[in-house]
Amino acid sequence: MKYIVCEKPGAFVLKEKDAPIRKTNEALLKIKKVGICGTDLHAYAGNQAFFTYPRILGHELASEVIDIGKNKRGITAGDKVVVMPYVSCGKCIACRNGKTNCCTNITVLGVHGDGGMQEQITVPTDILLPANHLSDNEMAIVEPLAIGAHAIRRAAIKAGEIIAVVGAGPIGIGIMKLAQIAGAKVIAIDTNEERLTYAKEKIGVDYTIKAGTEAAEDVSKITNGDLCTAVFDASGNKHALETCPDYMSHGGRFILVGLSKGELTYTHPKVHAKEMTLMCSRNATTEDFEHVISVLNQFPTESFITHSVDYTEMINHFDSWLDPKTGVIKATISFN
């Protein structure tokens, strides 16, 4: 079977190997579509945390079961399935407390272990969710939307809140839509005018703001001086991460969804005066995946996926997906 491996930063190679053999408590899957996410882009660029090379990337997967044993969800050969790409140990303090998303021994497909940029893959049966009613495109975007769903749940967003989402990339867009579904009003903040236009026209956010020196003043005007009760960073940009508390109200929450490799600096009296709650949001749980699947019909999947190529053409296109000027929001590769 064919597979694509990132052998080192900036270097993909299309190779061939024997198809995997399913073990007990595993399923053998045919990969149909793979979504390209920030993790893949950062890994290719050489600036992804928690990463080693060589690695087969890909954890946003649309797949079909080739072979599977008896399992608690009743999944059988031929079923379409969503893969939750986080393999947790089930024994550590986080797992025992239901926080499998931040297991101390977590292995994420395509990050700590090889992922889905291959024609077939074996995975544990307990990370599969049935998805026969979803299209390949819908299956491929469940995981990034689940990241947003987890962040929304972490922040306990309530109807009527005015929130800010910094970063109108795929994760940020997901947070925006899911926050709207939860009843919040959304301010989208980004440097990219095209992505802000998308957030306004396709997602239907209430307000958009061009990031810059006047952004905090713009947020203040929109909220009549109150600022936002919750601010999400989905950019992972150091400057953005350090600026986000300026948009947050007194008594507000700041949720770090984007990941930066470096140190962050805040003026303590400034954030202390607001009694800021700072929380990180990592990965997602089964509950988050199930929520996304239940509301996916409210998401503009087809406009969200802006670029799609066959896996044999991916290497020639990947560099262009690093540049927002190409209009890319979500790219996918197909193994059909």
Side-chain angles (χ1 to χ4, degrees), residues 42-58:
H42 291 313
Y44 178 74
N47 56 11
Q48 174 61 32
F50 314 124
F51 202 84
T52 58
Y53 303 85
R55 180 68 64 222
I56 299 174
L57 306 182

Side-chain angles (χ1 to χ4, degrees), residues 221-300:
K221 289 177 181 177
I222 289 169
T223 60
N224 295 317
D226 288 340
L227 302 179
C228 296
T229 50
V231 178
F232 296 80
D233 178 79
S235 72
N237 176 273
K238 175 179 169 63
H239 178 72
L241 282 159
E242 293 177 339
T243 304
C244 280
D246 294 343
Y247 312 139
M248 186 193 68
S249 68
H250 280 243
R253 296 98 78 204
F254 176 28
I255 305 92
L256 284 70
V257 187
L259 180 62
S260 172
K261 289 181 71 174
E263 295 180 350
L264 302 175
T265 302
Y266 299 101
T267 302
H268 188 195
K270 192 173 181 179
V271 297
H272 192 93
K274 292 186 174 183
E275 197 180 51
M276 179 176 77
T277 297
L278 186 150
M279 60 181 73
C280 297
S281 182
R282 186 184 184 195
N283 299 329
T285 67
T286 302
E287 179 180 349
D288 303 312
F289 276 80
E290 290 175 340
H291 174 64
V292 167
I293 290 171
S294 73
V295 300
L296 198 52
N297 62 340
Q298 300 180 54
F299 192 81

Side-chain angles (χ1 to χ4, degrees), residues 7-24:
E7 295 199 324
K8 60 183 180 180
F12 280 119
V13 181
L14 177 62
K15 292 186 171 183
E16 189 168 339
K17 63 178 180 178
D18 291 338
I21 298 174
R22 179 181 75 83
K23 299 176 183 176
T24 303

Side-chain angles (χ1 to χ4, degrees), residues 25 39 74 89 101 104 118 128 159 197 210 215 250 292 327:
N25 298 323
T39 299
C89 72
N101 58 295
T104 59
Q118 47 189 324
L128 301 179
T197 298
K210 180 75 174 290
H250 280 243
V292 167

Side-chain angles (χ1 to χ4, degrees), residues 177-207:
K177 190 62 183 179
L178 290 161
Q180 286 184 313
I181 291 171
K185 292 185 177 181
V186 177
I187 302 172
I189 303 175
D190 200 287
T191 59
N192 187 301
E193 293 280 11
E194 289 185 2
R195 288 191 170 183
L196 289 176
T197 298
Y198 180 87
K200 184 70 172 179
E201 295 181 354
K202 299 298 184 180
I203 301 301
V205 299
D206 301 275
Y207 308 96

Side-chain angles (χ1 to χ4, degrees), residues 84 86 88-104 106 150 153-154 282-289:
M84 297 181 289
Y86 324 118
S88 53
C89 72
K91 299 176 181 178
C92 71
I93 181 64
C95 288
R96 296 198 308 271
N97 286 326
K99 296 181 178 292
T100 54
N101 58 295
C102 58
C103 166
T104 59
I106 198 165
H150 187 71
R153 187 160 63 87
R154 285 274 289 145
R282 186 184 184 195
N283 299 329
T285 67
T286 302
E287 179 180 349
D288 303 312
F289 276 80

